[in-house]
Amino acid sequence: MEECSFSRPAGWRRSGEPVSMFLNTLTPKFYVALTGTSSLISGLILIFEWWYFRKYGTSFIEQVSVSHLRPLLGGVDNSSPTNSNSSNGDADSNRQSVSECKVWRNPLNLFRGAEYNRYTWVTGREPLTYYDMNLSAQDHQTFFTCDSDHLRPADAIMQKAWRERNPQARISAAHESLELEDCATASILLAEEEATTIVEAEKLFKQALKAGEGCYRRSQQLQHHGAQYEAQHRRDTNVLVYIKRRLAMCSRKLGRTREAVKMLRDLMKEFPLLSMFNIHENLLESLLELQNYADVQAVLAKYDDISLPKSATICYTAALLKARAVSDKFSPEAASRRGLSTAEMNAVEAIHRAVEFNPHVPKYLLEMKSLILPPEHILKRGDSEAIAYAFFHLQHWKRVEGALNLLHCTWEGTFRMIPYPLEKGHLFYPYPICTETADRELLPMFHEVSVYPKKELPFFILFTAGLCSFTAMLALLTHQFPELMGVFAKAFLSTLFAPLNFIMEKVESILPSSLWHQLTRI
């Protein structure tokens, strides 16, 4: 045993002593402080990571790693020919995704004064976000103004009024415009924002209709006299269509549904090219209220076309009609025994199609999630569209016996047919990834936005959660059992350094002692 010590230099013989002396001088308080500090730091990282994930949908550490560290470590060059070819190959799907993330005007949007403001008075909450109202202001400037407005004092005032952010300033400007002449857009603004009941709004819209029809007839005669007159006629057309549509919605809200259906049909016949207003969705809702399912099917046959953009109203109304044929006799137990009939299979496939288009709707129809007032703008396939659809159509599903039961039994089966990750859709294009961000801008803060597909927790959140829990447990055990945990800590560190000591001993036995002596002196 002693002959081993003859080959070791004195400096190397004492090299392991500082480590053992350091471990022997550590007190239990040091271990408590160490584990407690580690637990605190990892806990703060966990809280920040969780907040960042909830707000932006991604891990902060992961994002920094991908964005900044990956290029430094030799990440993939985005300008390489291979990547450019693959990006060109994905151009069609990306273009479709961008188009599906376009924000649309809600065809059934409520009245600000008579409905949205009433909600604010009762609850003290603002149902509309600033982003949503700003989009509405842009729509009003696009549809209700033109370059020739400065030629007429009343229209010039309204051109400024639509840009005002303060509601009272807009209302005052509308009254000022009406003092000069009978201005259609001024009456529209008052009907939308000042009227506190639907009856008052309808009265103001009828007043706007008289002025709007006069302006429309005059501009129609002059529309071919130049670009200025053509722009003015386009503006007057938009104003007239808006007024007639809102009058039909007033009739629908006041219980005169047949009158509303007639007005909407006449409007679609008079202006067949203005499909961007989605007037057919107002007509579908009114026909469902009348339970006129044959006419609903006729409207769907025209607008549920492969070349036309889809909506939740189109897809779920088609599913409701298919479900209506079988839902009153549908039983999950009987279907599992005998299998689905052809009609039941068609209904289930229609429900799967609707759920794939917008997977957020079923939870609102089945009342698994609470409804709020729909926003003035919606994102197709997003939570905002689901709220807008369910707000107006839930009653129609309840009216069809067994329809909600059939939906409850079959809607979740949709997700077994959709590939995951959603690199391609089943019946539609891949579900766009931008819906969550846009919906958070459109929907109020007090509403919990529905997210699809559910994002898995990033690795770093799970890692920091485990690290925080482990270090907190160590800190607690060290505080409660300091002597025992000190023994465990020293044994752990000794075990940790044992391979290093073993390697050094092997190296020492191979190399000459004179070389080790020179190295230790260095």
Side-chain angles (χ1 to χ4, degrees):
M1 296 295 294
E2 296 179 4
E3 56 193 15
C4 293
S5 62
F6 294 142
S7 62
R8 296 186 183 183
W12 172 252
R13 188 168 56 246
R14 294 189 300 269
S15 62
E17 293 179 2
V19 176
S20 60
M21 290 178 59
F22 174 74
L23 294 177
N24 291 329
T25 55
L26 296 180
T27 63
K29 291 183 179 180
F30 169 79
Y31 293 113
V32 173
L34 177 64
T35 53
T37 305
S38 302
S39 178
L40 176 63
I41 294 174
S42 57
L44 293 176
I45 295 174
L46 174 63
I47 293 172
F48 175 76
E49 274 282 288
W50 179 253
W51 170 82
Y52 195 89
F53 175 73
R54 294 283 294 178
K55 187 173 180 64
Y56 299 105
T58 185
S59 166
F60 175 77
I61 300 176
E62 184 178 335
Q63 186 179 19
V64 170
S65 302
V66 172
S67 303
H68 300 88
L69 299 182
R70 187 177 175 185
L72 296 176
L73 297 176
V76 180
D77 185 8
N78 293 331
S79 61
S80 63
T82 304
N83 284 340
S84 63
N85 292 336
S86 63
S87 62
N88 290 336
D90 294 338
D92 293 337
S93 61
N94 290 339
R95 192 179 300 114
Q96 179 66 24
S97 177
V98 171
S99 66
E100 286 195 2
C101 287
K102 175 185 175 183
V103 175
W104 299 73
R105 182 82 177 176
N106 183 2
L108 297 167
N109 66 302
L110 305 177
F111 294 84
R112 282 198 192 177
E115 292 172 308
Y116 286 120
N117 286 349
R118 186 181 296 275
Y119 176 84
T120 304
W121 298 335
V122 174
T123 64
R125 291 175 168 180
E126 289 291 341
L128 298 176
T129 63
Y130 174 77
Y131 176 72
D132 192 15
M133 292 188 289
N134 188 49
L135 289 176
S136 296
Q138 295 176 22
D139 292 341
H140 296 152
Q141 292 175 51
T142 302
F143 293 134
F144 300 154
T145 64
C146 66
D147 295 336
S148 62
D149 282 346
H150 65 279
L151 300 177
R152 293 190 293 185
D155 288 336
I157 293 174
M158 288 308 301
Q159 193 174 40
K160 295 179 181 179
W162 293 121
R163 297 194 183 107
E164 283 286 348
R165 292 186 178 181
N166 187 350
Q168 291 302 320
R170 290 196 296 269
I171 292 173
S172 299
H175 282 293
E176 182 183 351
S177 177
L178 284 174
E179 290 175 0
L180 298 178
E181 61 176 285
D182 195 6
C183 180
T185 54
S187 298
I188 288 176
L189 192 147
L190 295 178
E192 291 285 352
E193 301 193 20
E194 188 182 43
T196 56
T197 64
I198 301 299
V199 175
E200 293 177 19
E202 184 182 38
K203 182 180 178 181
L204 286 166
F205 274 121
K206 287 180 177 178
Q207 178 181 330
L209 181 62
K210 293 180 181 179
E213 285 179 333
C215 292
Y216 176 76
R217 284 192 295 268
R218 288 192 296 270
S219 63
Q220 190 176 28
Q221 297 172 358
L222 302 172
Q223 61 176 315
H224 301 297
H225 291 190
Q228 177 179 330
Y229 293 103
E230 184 179 352
Q232 189 171 341
H233 176 65
R234 187 164 54 250
R235 188 276 308 269
D236 293 338
T237 302
N238 292 335
V239 169
L240 185 62
V241 171
Y242 186 90
I243 293 171
K244 289 187 174 183
R245 179 185 192 167
R246 294 303 257 179
L247 277 172
M249 294 176 68
C250 288
S251 298
R252 166 69 183 90
K253 292 175 185 291
L254 295 173
R256 305 193 305 270
T257 309
R258 296 188 183 279
E259 179 184 336
V261 168
K262 183 180 183 305
M263 295 171 70
L264 291 169
R265 287 189 186 278
D266 292 342
L267 183 59
M268 294 171 65
K269 189 179 298 182
E270 185 178 0
F271 301 98
L273 300 179
L274 293 180
S275 59
M276 61 180 178
F277 289 105
N278 293 324
I279 302 173
H280 59 276
E281 296 197 9
N282 299 83
L283 179 60
L284 282 173
E285 197 279 327
S286 298
L287 290 172
L288 286 171
E289 176 64 21
L290 294 174
Q291 301 184 48
N292 194 341
Y293 298 111
D295 287 350
V296 172
Q297 185 62 57
V299 175
L300 285 178
K302 183 178 180 181
Y303 289 97
D304 192 5
D305 186 81
I306 192 171
S307 62
L308 297 177
K310 297 292 182 291
S311 67
T313 301
I314 293 291
C315 294
Y316 278 89
T317 302
L320 176 61
L321 293 189
K322 294 282 181 64
R324 176 176 171 268
V326 298
S327 59
D328 57 336
K329 300 177 182 178
F330 178 77
S331 169
E333 295 79 10
S336 62
R337 287 195 306 268
R338 59 173 168 78
L340 295 175
S341 64
T342 303
E344 290 173 338
M345 185 64 71
N346 291 336
V348 171
E349 288 177 354
I351 289 174
H352 287 175
R353 171 178 179 262
V355 174
E356 183 183 349
F357 182 83
N358 193 317
H360 309 283
V361 172
K363 287 191 176 181
Y364 294 108
L365 292 180
L366 298 173
E367 299 181 86
M368 300 165 64
K369 200 162 187 242
S370 59
L371 273 172
I372 61 171
L373 294 186
E376 292 184 337
H377 290 81
I378 59 173
L379 183 70
K380 287 192 175 182
R381 307 186 75 177
D383 192 29
S384 51
E385 185 192 35
I387 291 171
Y389 173 79
F391 186 86
F392 294 100
H393 288 261
L394 175 59
Q395 56 181 329
H396 307 316
W397 279 81
K398 287 184 174 180
R399 191 176 292 127
V400 177
E401 183 182 357
L404 290 176
N405 178 46
L406 180 60
L407 177 69
H408 175 72
C409 295
T410 58
W411 74 277
E412 290 182 331
T414 308
F415 306 116
R416 290 194 291 271
M417 300 184 301
I418 302 175
Y420 185 84
L422 305 176
E423 69 277 356
K424 61 179 181 177
H426 180 61
L427 298 174
F428 296 100
Y429 284 93
Y431 192 79
I433 60 175
C434 58
T435 55
E436 180 185 358
T437 304
D439 279 332
R440 290 190 188 280
E441 295 287 341
L442 289 171
L443 298 172
M445 291 292 293
F446 58 82
H447 173 72
E448 183 181 354
V449 175
S450 176
V451 179
Y452 174 80
K454 284 291 185 182
K455 290 189 174 72
E456 296 180 357
L457 287 178
F459 166 76
F460 287 105
I461 289 184
L462 300 175
F463 176 76
T464 51
L467 181 62
C468 177
S469 303
F470 178 70
T471 52
M473 182 183 67
L474 285 181
L476 179 62
L477 291 175
T478 307
H479 183 266
Q480 293 294 327
F481 311 103
E483 299 295 337
L484 182 61
M485 291 302 294
V487 172
F488 279 128
K490 291 174 183 177
F492 173 75
L493 292 175
S494 300
T495 306
L496 186 65
F497 286 110
L500 180 63
N501 292 332
F502 176 77
I503 294 173
M504 296 303 294
E505 287 180 359
K506 289 296 182 183
V507 172
E508 177 194 359
S509 64
I510 297 173
L511 295 179
S513 60
S514 58
L515 178 61
W516 275 115
H517 182 69
Q518 295 298 326
L519 291 175
T520 53
R521 290 183 62 183
I522 294 174

